Amino acid sequence: MNRLSDVFFRLKGAPRRVYTGLRDGLRAFRATPFKVAGRVGKNVGLTSLYLVNGAAAVHLFSDYVGNVSPMQGPSMLPTLAIDGEYVIENIIGHRLNPSNISRGDLITFRSPHYHHRIVCKRVVGLAGDIVCVDPTGLKFPSSVHVLVPKGHIWVAGDNAALSIDSRDYGPLSTALIRGKLFARVWPPRDAVIFRNPTTYIE
Amino acid sequence: MSSLWLRCRSVLIWSPMAIMFNNHFYTLKTVSGRSMQPTLNPDSSTSRDTVVFDRFSIRLSGQLARGDIVVFPSPLDPSRMLIKRVLAQEGDTVSTLPPYPAAEVQIPFGHVWVEGDEPFRSSDSNSFGPLPLALIDSKLLFIVFPFSRWGSLAVSSPDRLPHGPIKRLQEAAVERERWRRSRVRLAPGNN
């Protein structure tokens, strides 16, 4: 508004500001309404750039440190419900200490079948272990055993009947692991910090 | 002093966008090792190749073709990054090379078969089996350094070239490509 009134006064021959020198003369010569439009455009551009930058920062945080994400699918019943639950995914822990994975952990990783999808399963065997491929006998006879190769782990869903896991794609390379499930935060009455339930029989 | 602080601060403030660009779009890396010889790091070159890698088309659209050169962490040791060429995609049947237990393998769903151009010094799918697409980090776009090797690695037809060492190199590359293709039987409906 101020600028527009500037123009008005200049047109009336009564400038509110005294323009001196070549630069100021040029500034006065330029049509001020255009300048206002230019300034607004610049602000819009800068604001959207800041928004994009902020979104990038949030995305980086959720990729490197951790995030809260919804869980879906029947493969982890009864530990995780089919729908409507939110969990905290701890990523920085795995980034700082990739070897800290033990049997019984809930881990998240990129699916070897669908590379866009991030899935959650439970670690059953570590490299060097001999695991029973399918104790339920659904996909393989329960007598089949394999040796988990170097750099790999064996993962399985808690609900063997409706889970796509190492029985389908074999041992999982540890390079695919993203992080561990830390806690469930939603729904609040089921909020829990996930503990490793494994007990070893000597 | 304060202007230095201001400059640092603005670099810090805008760094998320820069890191995002590097993580999800394009990145520069120097290739070390001999497994992609003579395509990358040939003996005739005095310095190692620095290459632009494309992460965007892998992560966001999943576009990958047979013959692309890709970078991924080794499935056996995630701290090592490997660079290999994609030979076959899901559904294709590949004749394997010695370290692999079976003579032929059909590539499972969501996987590719990767091999180095230098078959003897390469730890590739013949030692660790088909590679999940989810492991692939980026694909090679073009060489930026050394400047004498600037450009993409597309094999041009050697017929039009004048006689000389360049023609012979191109002929060898075409021969290798023919050999690679002869070992892959494409999935039905994918010709």
Side-chain angles (χ1 to χ4, degrees), chain A residues 126-143:
Chain A
L126 303 178
D129 291 356
I130 292 173
V131 293
C132 175
V133 171
D134 194 354
T136 59
L138 287 168
K139 294 182 179 173
F140 285 91
S142 52
S143 57

Side-chain angles (χ1 to χ4, degrees), chain A residues 80-103:
Chain A
L80 297 166
I82 292 179
D83 207 0
E85 289 192 341
Y86 284 77
V87 294
I88 297 179
E89 188 185 1
N90 173 8
I91 294 173
I92 191 141
H94 178 252
R95 282 198 177 256
L96 294 177
N97 189 5
S99 58
N100 180 24
I101 284 175
S102 41
R103 302 171 193 93

Side-chain angles (χ1 to χ4, degrees), chain B residues 30-152:
Chain B
T30 300
V31 178
S32 64
R34 302 168 59 88
S35 80
M36 282 303 284
Q37 273 192 340
T39 314
L40 294 172
N41 288 355
D43 280 335
S44 57
S45 172
T46 49
S47 63
R48 297 186 296 177
D49 288 344
T50 299
V51 184
V52 175
F53 287 100
D54 173 4
R55 281 174 163 147
F56 175 74
S57 57
I58 300 283
R59 276 292 149 84
L60 279 92
S61 54
Q63 285 166 356
L64 203 60
R66 297 173 194 86
D68 281 350
I69 297 174
V70 293
V71 175
F72 53 91
S74 162
L76 302 174
D77 177 8
S79 58
R80 275 182 68 212
M81 294 300 272
L82 304 178
I83 177 163
K84 301 282 174 253
R85 194 186 286 273
V86 174
L87 246 76
Q89 291 178 301
E90 59 185 39
D92 298 351
T93 310
V94 185
S95 330
T96 63
L97 294 178
Y100 201 71
E104 278 204 338
V105 62
Q106 190 176 24
I107 312 303
F109 179 60
H111 288 63
V112 290
W113 188 266
V114 290
E115 272 184 20
D117 282 4
E118 221 283 26
F120 301 107
R121 289 194 193 86
S122 175
S123 92
D124 51 28
S125 277
N126 288 305
S127 54
F128 51 70
L131 182 83
L133 266 176
L135 268 186
I136 293 177
D137 171 77
S138 51
K139 77 176 180 192
L140 184 145
L141 224 54
F142 58 92
I143 300 176
V144 291
F145 188 83
F147 299 122
S148 58
R149 288 171 48 71
W150 174 283
S152 74

